[in-house]
Amino acid sequence: MRPVNTPHPETWLKVTPSGLFCEPGGFFIDPTRAVDRAVISHGHSDHARPGHAHVLATRETLAIMTARMGEGRAGTAQQALRCGETLEINGVRLWLRPAGHVLGSAQVCMEWRGSRAVVSGDYKRQADPTAAGFEVEPCDLFVTEATFALPVFRHPPPETEIARLLRSVALFPERTHVVGCYSLGKCQRLIAMLRQAGWDRPIHLHGAHQALCRTYEELGVRLGTLRAATVARKEDLKGAIVLAPPGAVADRWARRLAEPVVAVASGWMRVRQRAKQSGVELPLVISDHADWDELLATCTEVQAPEVWVTHGREDALIHALGLRGIKGRALHLVGLGEEEDEVEVVTEDPAA
């Protein structure tokens, strides 16, 4: 509980057209437009944008931003901060905690005059062999996403979904299984989980997925043998697993595959009608976001009397938090929640 003489976080953490602004520190968190000083939670495009003068993030996020945007566009000046390392900026104590979302993702933790706020970015609570797990940081104010903030969204253990994929591969050995997944985070997580499940054969990639897999390897995440799906013969892809952007799996690009079984790995695959409308034969409910139960549990565990919701199903989450005695507020930040995750559309292979 915040002492009586400490300032409320809303007096120093402001909502602006550019995003959340730490006024005494003089920096933005995941700004939606180019600013002088930005602290970036992770590398997805709705949180990490080009053109900032100074960027602070984890080493991994800075590398991912540079790989996606090119040299010089991911911050004129970059500063890496390790999770748990503390920095003081104009009297504001700043540190990062793992968010569990993708490699390098972090919660931005701030304390000013005894008042503590945590901006989670995007996060998940399930285990991920390619990302450090979420760490709870008690605070006076917690800023959360709400992508899957409805009771219908309860994600199954990801291992069971990987097992379903491998059973289908065994059942249809003459067909290619093409799995739609986002190029940053989801693709590498699927590869790592397949390796854990014993799949030691080459995994084939759409051209849009290759660069970030190389970045992950450079950052120490071992992915095993990967091959370009574009140059493979159709005969060689029988019984193979191919990873591609969701927009490519039902596109003409997939015609090069051997009688493809179309799968998509996404939290949205919990909505069967959505899967059916998209022509998905094998929906895999694997998400890099917290589900309904995880959102509620996290908001309780951080012990914050107040929670701000940045994007997603704000109303449902705020109502549920209110029943638990937690004050909720919808921020309606423009531009967040628009990452390509789950909805990326790529119709041509850049390597073709």
Side-chain angles (χ1 to χ4, degrees), residues 198-231:
W199 184 266
D200 57 4
R201 294 169 54 185
I203 295 173
H204 295 75
L205 302 177
H206 184 285
H209 286 359
Q210 293 175 24
L212 283 171
C213 284
R214 286 194 296 269
T215 300
Y216 266 59
E217 289 268 5
E218 291 165 2
L219 291 169
V221 179
R222 298 292 169 247
L223 301 175
T225 303
L226 305 176
R227 293 180 181 167
T230 307
V231 297

Side-chain angles (χ1 to χ4, degrees), residues 2-280:
R2 190 178 72 255
V4 176
N5 59 343
T6 60
H8 191 285
E10 68 181 5
T11 65
W12 55 274
L13 190 60
K14 304 289 188 176
V15 179
T16 77
S18 296
L20 282 174
F21 179 60
C22 178
E23 196 168 64
F27 58 85
F28 290 85
I29 301 99
D30 291 348
T32 57
R33 61 183 73 174
V35 299
D36 182 48
R37 296 186 181 278
V39 179
I40 305 299
S41 66
H42 67 282
H44 279 141
S45 61
D46 60 327
H47 292 257
R49 301 180 189 246
H52 307 310
H54 302 85
V55 172
L56 183 145
T58 63
R59 176 181 70 94
E60 295 87 352
T61 292
L62 292 174
I64 288 167
M65 289 176 67
T66 300
R68 300 191 85 188
M69 301 173 188
E71 291 289 342
R73 300 192 71 233
T76 304
Q78 295 184 343
Q79 181 175 356
L81 190 67
R82 295 190 305 271
C83 283
E85 181 181 359
T86 302
L87 185 68
E88 187 163 312
I89 306 173
N90 298 330
V92 177
R93 194 163 69 95
L94 171 71
W95 67 103
L96 305 176
R97 284 273 183 253
H101 180 53
V102 297
L103 179 64
S105 62
Q107 304 169 77
V108 180
C109 310
M110 299 158 285
E111 186 171 290
W112 185 65
R113 297 183 179 177
S115 176
R116 182 177 294 188
V118 173
V119 181
S120 65
D122 290 334
Y123 63 97
K124 70 172 177 289
R125 303 300 300 269
Q126 290 183 337
D128 181 343
T130 68
F134 182 95
E135 293 182 6
V136 172
E137 181 70 47
C139 54
D140 302 303
L141 170 69
F142 185 62
V143 183
T144 183
E145 60 148 309
T147 304
F148 292 112
L150 286 175
V152 67
F153 292 112
R154 289 182 164 94
H155 305 325
E159 297 81 9
T160 64
E161 300 299 279
I162 292 296
R164 290 178 58 236
L165 171 60
L166 293 179
R167 282 197 300 271
S168 183
V169 172
L171 188 61
F172 301 107
E174 298 300 309
R175 301 178 68 183
T176 303
H177 281 67
V178 55
V179 184
C181 57
Y182 183 51
S183 60
L184 171 57
K186 187 69 64 62
C187 171
Q188 297 80 21
R189 184 186 181 197
L190 291 177
I191 294 170
M193 288 193 298
L194 283 165
R195 300 306 187 199
Q196 285 184 335
W199 184 266
D200 57 4
R201 294 169 54 185
I203 295 173
H204 295 75
L205 302 177
H206 184 285
H209 286 359
Q210 293 175 24
L212 283 171
C213 284
R214 286 194 296 269
T215 300
Y216 266 59
E217 289 268 5
E218 291 165 2
L219 291 169
V221 179
R222 298 292 169 247
L223 301 175
T225 303
L226 305 176
R227 293 180 181 167
T230 307
V231 297
R233 297 183 308 155
K234 181 176 289 190
E235 187 69 21
D236 294 335
L237 292 176
K238 289 183 177 181
I241 295 175
V242 175
L243 304 184
V249 298
D251 186 71
R252 61 182 180 179
W253 178 87
R255 295 175 191 168
R256 73 193 69 195
L257 308 177
E259 297 183 72
V261 175
V262 175
V264 168
S266 166
W268 297 110
M269 291 298 98
R270 171 63 73 187
V271 183
R272 297 299 179 179
Q273 187 62 27
R274 184 165 183 162
K276 185 177 179 180
Q277 290 174 346
S278 302
V280 177

